[in-house]
Structures are given as C-alpha cells and as structure tokens.
Amino acid sequence: MALCVSVANLSGETISLQVDPEHSVAELMRLLELRSVAPILGLVTSKGLLQQHARLKDALGGELTATMVHGRRDQCYKQRHCVALRLGGAVAVVGRKGRGALRERLSEVVHLQATREAFAAIRTNGEVMAWGSPDAGGDCSAVAAQLVEVCALHSTDGAFAALTRWGKLLTWGCAWHGGDSREVSEDLELCCQVVATRGAFAVRRTSGEVVVWGDPSTGGDVRATGERLVRVRKLFANAGALAALREDGSIVTWGSHENGGDSRQVQSQLVDVLEIHCAQKAFAAVRSDGRIVTWGALSGPVKQAPEIQLQNIREVVGSNAGFAAILQDGSMVTWGQQDECDCSHLLEELSTSTVRELYATSGAFCVLLAHGGLRCFGRSDLGGEGALEEVVQVAATLGAFAALRSNGSVTAWGHRLMGGEVPSHLERALQSEVTQVISSEVAFTAVRSDGSLVRWGHPHYTRCGVIAAF
C-alpha cells in the first residue's frame, strides 16, 4: 500500500508524493529533486536526519511529513591532512594531530573554512576560533580580540581572512600567503567582497576600489595591470589568478599567466560581460549576447563554448581548464580543454536524461543524473572513466571520485594517491552501511551507520583505516 508523504522545504513550500514504503529514503530524495530542481542534502523528521539507505517504512516510523534541506555536501579541498564532517549537530575533524584534528566534536559552528593544514570556524556568537598548524593559520591569537561579529571566512593555502559585519577585514597565518595585511590595513574598511587564490587575497570595497596583498605570483600584486582598479562590480578568483568585472562590463585580470592572469589575447572580446566562471586554471566570461569567452591554461585542442544566455545557467563547475554547466532544463553543456570536457560518448544518453549535480576533479567531471545514474568524462587518470547506477551521493578530491550507492556501499575510482583506490583491508568496511562520504584534497572519509569512520587516500597525508565511533 502506497504512502502519501508531504515534504516541505525551509521556505514552507510543500510537495506531496505517493511512495512505495519498501523504497529507500534515497529514492524519495531523487523523486523530490525532480520536482524541486535544487540538490537535496537530506530529509529530516521529528526523529532526526533520515538515513538514505533505509527503507521508508522503517525510517519514517509512521510519520508522513518531513523537511528537505537543500545544498551541496560540505567539502574542504584545501585541507590535505584532515577532513571535517557534521555529526549529530556538531563538527568532527579527523586526521593528523597538529594539522587540524580535534579530540572532541565542536558545537555551535555556523561556518568552517580550511587552509592546507589548519581550520577556522565562526561560532554562533560571531566569534572565531582557529586550530591546526600555526604556520598555516591555526593560531589567531594576534587578532583574537578583534574577531567579533564575524560574518564570513576566506582562506588561501596558508592564511585566513575574516570579514566583520561592519566591513572590517582581519587576517592571520602565513605572511607570504596573505596572513600579513598590515601594509594595506588602512584600506581594509568598508569591505563588501573577499576572494582568494592559493596565495593571495583581494577585497572589493563599497566604493568599487580593489585592494590586494599576498604572493605576487598568484595575484597579490596588481601593479602589472598598469591600471587602478576602480568602479569594480565583482571579483573572481581561481587557484592562481584574479579577474575584476567593472561596471562598464570590461574585465581586468592579474596573477599567474598560466591560470588566466593574462587575458590580452582575448581582451578585445571581453566586452559587455555579465558574469565570470572559474576553473582551477582558467576563466570563462559570459557576455550579454550569450557568447562565452574562455582563457587561461588552454593547451592543445580546445572545445569551443556554446552560446548561452546567463539566465539559462543553473550551475557551472570547473575542472583544471574545462567547464561544464547544468542548464535550467536539466541539460548539460561543456567547453574548454578538450581532454577534460569531451563528453561526446554521452551525448545520446544525456539528451534524454536530467542532470542533477556536477562534480569535478582537477581534470575530469562526474555527472549525477536524476534517476541515480552516474557518468564520467575527462582524463581517465583523474576519474574520467566510470558509470554506476543507484548513486545517492558523490564526493571528489583533486584526482578521484567516490560514490555512495543506495545499498550503503562505496565505490572509488581515479588517481590511486588521491583516493581512487581503496586498500584491500578496507574494502569490506565499504561494502554496506555507509551513510555519507566526505573529501579532503587527497583523501576520502566514509561515515558508517555505527558512527565509525573509514579513511583512505594519499598515504603521506592520510592514515588509512577504520576509526572507532567518533
């Protein structure tokens, strides 16, 4: 006998569905995503978060109402040694001691940010705490007294920047990576936007002026542009370069030439720009006429960008120098570095399927379809080969993907040293009862239903194995 389940989102809108009680929670989530478009993080009832692999009749326990939480799963790509995950309403951080691991769960966290070897968190009272390697931002004592009413955190590889509610910006961590902002401190007032590369920060003030500092090779020095950055509407950053979109629709770029800091070859085409999208080493500008202009680390054959109106784009994901976009109708288009974004072998299937989510490594893409199918394309050594069914969640490191199936098992593929190969002694622990998969830069962590964790990835940065219930 079918169940009539009413599911509301956080804004109060309700969707009612007839469902088979023998189906899994994951199958209900897929049906809801077809109706609500946005990805669903989870379903919550008065009993708490529903486990995705559980049967509906068991998970609901007689309840016929639930709330869906939208959003993408947490990732902390910049961290190499640790991973942060939410467990029981608190944040748990596991990994190497002295690099960000915590012995106890951290409660009352509203936002978390990571460098390569440290974390910083905003608490519910607006204060900030930092931990991990002091050289990478794990010690904020020098500015702790000023870290009040903080509303946003940003990070480079080795430093943090905190934006307060009244527009003041404070930094700490590795000086070379932007942790020392004393030379520009007088200009770090009335800030309204902060972006970061691997080694530099850039701030847009309410006046439209831009202030930069940090590693000059990754955007910390704007003098090479020969222009004063004023009347800037929005800032954009990838791993090593920055782009400023001006009020007149023109673009100014600086930073690593390889990453797109030099846009002279396409400068004449960068007019009437409405938006910019970022890959790790490339930019793509969408013009008012629908044309997309791409520049950066584009070597060898390049797949030309289609003409797309900005209002038709639901989401854009970048790899190293390739791009993939989900359109509002659920279709997908790609452009950029040919070996990263060639999905020609999937065109027939994708033309009849709805794309739910996109994920990327530093050279490949993973497409999660509305019916739970998963398809990959791009560089095979970085996760570009793979096809699975009944997938409920995907996570990505810089070189590998991991997929959680509806039966609670996990499959990983891609670069062996970035989590693409599960050690044989851990295979059994990943065959069932996994509820969530989280990624750091070079490793994966799977959460099991009994609270234990399974970790695998780069052996230099990750202690592979099973961790008792945290």
Side-chain angles (χ1 to χ4, degrees):
M1 181 178 177
L3 294 175
C4 182
V5 180
S6 295
V7 185
N9 59 27
L10 296 179
S11 66
E13 297 175 301
T14 301
I15 297 174
S16 296
L17 291 172
Q18 296 281 340
V19 296
D20 187 332
E22 296 295 328
H23 285 175
S24 67
V25 172
E27 289 172 302
L28 173 58
M29 288 172 62
R30 284 198 294 272
L31 290 174
L32 290 167
E33 285 181 330
L34 289 173
R35 299 276 296 272
S36 64
V37 180
I40 298 175
L41 184 63
L43 294 178
V44 179
T45 68
S46 62
K47 301 178 185 298
L49 181 68
L50 303 185
Q51 300 298 327
Q52 294 187 25
H53 66 277
R55 290 184 302 179
L56 285 170
K57 68 177 184 181
D58 299 328
L60 292 172
E63 294 196 33
L64 297 177
T65 60
T67 301
M68 52 184 164
V69 181
H70 293 294
R72 297 184 66 84
R73 282 83 183 175
D74 288 341
Q75 308 282 351
C76 54
Y77 288 120
K78 288 189 176 180
Q79 248 289 2
R80 282 190 171 179
H81 304 274
C82 300
V83 65
L85 57 156
R86 293 193 177 273
L87 294 174
V91 173
V93 185
V94 295
R96 295 182 63 180
K97 294 179 180 179
R99 297 293 188 269
L102 291 175
R103 291 184 178 181
E104 299 179 352
R105 297 187 190 184
L106 187 64
S107 61
E108 299 181 343
V109 172
V110 296
H111 180 61
L112 192 68
Q113 190 64 262
T115 64
R116 282 282 177 89
E117 299 184 354
F119 289 96
I122 303 177
R123 310 297 295 273
T124 52
N125 61 4
E127 296 180 356
V128 171
M129 66 175 295
W131 67 97
S133 172
D135 295 334
D139 180 3
C140 64
S141 58
V143 294
Q146 303 174 68
L147 292 173
V148 293
E149 295 193 48
V150 173
C151 60
L153 286 171
H154 301 269
S155 66
T156 60
D157 275 359
F160 292 102
L163 182 65
T164 66
R165 294 192 185 280
W166 55 87
K168 182 177 178 61
L169 196 80
L170 301 159
T171 63
W172 68 95
C174 173
W176 186 251
H177 286 161
D180 185 353
S181 57
R182 286 175 294 182
E183 288 189 3
V184 295
S185 60
E186 293 183 0
D187 296 322
L188 298 183
E189 304 279 353
L190 301 176
C191 302
C192 57
Q193 185 193 5
V194 186
V195 296
T197 65
R198 291 288 194 185
F201 290 106
V203 167
R204 179 173 60 90
R205 304 180 68 194
T206 54
S207 62
E209 293 178 292
V210 173
V211 183
V212 303
W213 69 98
D215 177 10
S217 67
T218 57
D221 186 350
V222 76
R223 290 175 297 180
T225 65
E227 300 183 57
R228 182 166 171 252
L229 285 172
V230 294
R231 296 187 295 278
V232 172
R233 186 197 310 165
K234 196 172 181 180
L235 290 172
F236 303 86
N238 62 22
L242 296 118
L245 173 57
R246 285 176 158 167
E247 292 176 358
D248 62 1
S250 63
I251 298 292
V252 179
T253 60
W254 68 99
S256 166
H257 288 196
E258 180 188 7
N259 289 59
D262 183 356
S263 58
R264 286 176 294 183
Q265 288 188 341
V266 295
Q267 196 63 47
S268 62
Q269 305 173 52
L270 295 175
V271 294
D272 296 325
V273 174
L274 298 177
E275 187 64 271
I276 297 177
H277 299 288
C278 308
Q280 292 178 36
K281 291 187 176 181
F283 292 105
V286 183
R287 303 192 332 185
S288 60
D289 60 2
R291 184 178 175 188
I292 295 178
V293 182
T294 307
W295 71 98
L298 302 170
S299 59
V302 176
K303 184 177 182 181
Q304 295 302 313
E307 288 194 3
I308 302 175
Q309 293 298 326
L310 190 64
Q311 60 267 26
N312 293 331
I313 299 176
R314 194 173 94 202
E315 180 184 16
V316 176
V317 175
S319 57
N320 190 56
F323 296 86
I326 306 178
L327 304 185
Q328 292 293 353
D329 62 1
S331 61
M332 186 189 74
V333 294
T334 65
W335 70 93
Q337 189 70 41
Q338 182 73 21
D339 61 351
E340 297 179 23
C341 63
D342 181 10
C343 60
S344 55
H345 61 294
L346 299 175
L347 288 180
E348 183 175 348
E349 181 177 12
L350 292 177
S351 66
T352 59
S353 303
T354 299
V355 177
R356 186 171 114 199
E357 293 183 40
L358 279 171
Y359 299 84
T361 64
S362 58
F365 292 91
C366 175
V367 182
L368 185 56
L369 303 174
H371 60 71
L374 178 150
R375 306 293 182 265
C376 295
F377 59 93
R379 289 180 51 180
S380 58
D381 59 327
L382 296 174
E385 287 186 0
L388 295 172
E389 302 298 332
E390 299 183 349
V391 174
V392 297
Q393 187 207 336
V394 179
T397 64
L398 290 178
F401 295 108
L404 173 62
R405 314 283 291 278
S406 59
N407 62 2
S409 66
V410 172
T411 303
W413 66 100
H415 198 291
R416 179 177 63 85
L417 294 179
M418 296 186 190
E421 181 178 298
V422 177
S424 57
H425 68 283
L426 297 179
E427 290 179 352
R428 185 173 180 179
L430 296 175
Q431 288 178 355
S432 63
E433 298 186 17
V434 176
T435 61
Q436 186 181 13
V437 180
I438 301 291
S439 63
S440 64
E441 195 172 54
V442 292
F444 294 106
T445 300
V447 184
R448 290 175 49 82
S449 58
D450 61 1
S452 62
L453 308 176
V454 185
R455 302 199 72 221
W456 73 99
H458 199 299
H460 179 72
Y461 302 102
T462 309
R463 285 189 177 181
C464 301
V466 178
I467 303 173
F470 195 90

